[in-house]
Each structure stands twice: as C-alpha cells, then as structure tokens.
Amino acid sequence: MDAIITISPEKVGVLIWIIWGLIGVVSALFAQRFMPYRQMLAFNIIISVVAACIGGFLSVQYVGGTTMMLFFISILGAIFAAGIILWIIGALTMHFSNRQ
C-alpha cells in the first residue's frame, strides 16, 4: 500500500500519477467549456493529461523538501502545466485557423 501513494524524487506512486491525470482531464473539460475556440474534446484531454503528468513529475524532481510539500507542489505544477499548454495550443489554433 505504501508504494501506491509514495512521492519522492526517486519514486512516484501510482495514485499520484492518477491524480495528475485527473487534473489533466478536468482542465481539458474547463478549457472545452470556457475557451472561445472549439477543438475535439479527446484532443484536449490527451494534451492536458500529458502536460499535467509532465508538469507534476518535473515539479517533484526539482522543487520541494518534505513529502507533503512535494505532493502540493506537484499538484500545482500539474495544474500550471496543463493550463499553460492548453492556452498555447488554443492560441496557435486560433492563429492558424484565421489565416485562411
């Protein structure tokens, strides 16, 4: 059970990866609902889940000290990464769709 929820720079548990993935899904749903551009929901989900997992993992590797600090910083890193990547993809989509 301890291996499932472990978070340290050397090892990240399965539950933490699932939380990062859920953050990606929720951010994709928010982006689909509130952003002015419309893309396929599956595309937004894939992009944001990958971005949230990478953002969470990199924040665990480079920031934090205690286990609780690593957890909260990884959550913030996942939210930030998913939001920024979705914003960049949306801006590029709007820019290139207006060039016709």
Side-chain angles (χ1 to χ4, degrees), residues 10-65:
E10 293 83 28
K11 184 174 182 178
V12 178
V14 175
L15 185 62
I16 306 301
W17 288 99
I18 292 172
I19 290 171
W20 294 338
L22 289 175
I23 288 171
V25 169
V26 169
S27 64
L29 293 174
F30 274 116
Q32 190 72 20
R33 175 74 174 116
F34 295 114
M35 296 300 272
Y37 65 91
R38 293 290 177 212
Q39 291 178 341
M40 290 178 33
L41 179 62
F43 177 74
N44 281 343
I45 288 174
I46 291 169
I47 294 297
S48 64
V49 166
V50 170
C53 288
I54 290 173
F57 182 76
L58 290 178
S59 65
V60 166
Q61 295 299 313
Y62 297 112
V63 183

